[in-house]
Amino acid sequence: MTELVKRLGNRIRFLRKEKGMSQEQLGELSGLHTNYVGQVERGEKNVTVESLEKIAKGLGVSMEDLFRHIDPSPQPDELRQLVDLLTERSKHDRALALKLVKSVFEWEQEKYQ
């Protein structure tokens, strides 16, 4: 399979694990066989758009979230670097980073008033 299919499978696995779900649970919630979910996660199946929609619903994410970070821009700018740093962090870590950034921006805004 192509590298893109493997990256998509890794993304699905990451989201599933982030939600504390097993492959069996994802299969049940998405209406897909557990073996198929495993094959998709390993990049062994060229998954259809319909199956991706089912997986996204089973994970409780949008299609946009499902595809996020799969095909990053070859020119990493500051925003891409921030996204890359946060991508593999826990939800708690991302929330903490967001709170920190907001605090810095609020402090800067108050400084000039």
Side-chain angles (χ1 to χ4, degrees):
M1 284 290 140
T2 68
E3 186 62 30
L4 180 62
V5 173
K6 290 178 185 176
R7 288 195 311 258
L8 178 59
N10 286 334
R11 176 72 176 152
I12 291 168
R13 179 182 296 117
F14 173 80
L15 290 169
R16 176 181 59 77
K17 287 184 174 185
E18 183 179 58
K19 295 185 177 290
M21 298 169 69
S22 67
Q23 287 182 343
E24 291 80 12
Q25 289 169 317
L26 177 55
E28 192 173 304
L29 290 171
S30 60
L32 299 169
H33 195 280
T34 303
N35 292 343
Y36 182 77
V37 171
Q39 291 171 326
V40 169
E41 287 188 358
R42 291 188 300 275
E44 297 171 356
K45 282 285 185 190
N46 195 1
V47 63
T48 65
V49 173
E50 289 84 8
S51 293
L52 286 173
E53 183 179 40
K54 290 177 181 182
I55 289 170
K57 285 182 181 178
L59 289 168
V61 301
S62 67
M63 291 290 278
E64 178 184 358
D65 286 339
L66 187 65
F67 282 95
R68 187 166 288 148
H69 318 298
I70 290 182
D71 192 21
S73 170
Q75 299 279 333
D77 60 4
E78 293 83 5
L79 183 58
R80 169 55 49 202
Q81 290 175 26
L82 284 169
V83 169
D84 288 345
L85 284 171
L86 294 171
T87 297
E88 299 299 321
R89 303 301 300 189
S90 71
K91 194 172 192 173
H92 178 265
D93 287 352
R94 292 191 307 263
L96 183 61
L98 177 60
K99 186 176 180 180
L100 177 64
V101 169
K102 284 181 175 180
S103 295
V104 169
F105 290 154
E106 288 170 5
W107 170 80
E108 182 184 31
Q109 190 174 29
E110 289 173 6
K111 182 173 74 169
Y112 294 110
Q113 291 181 5

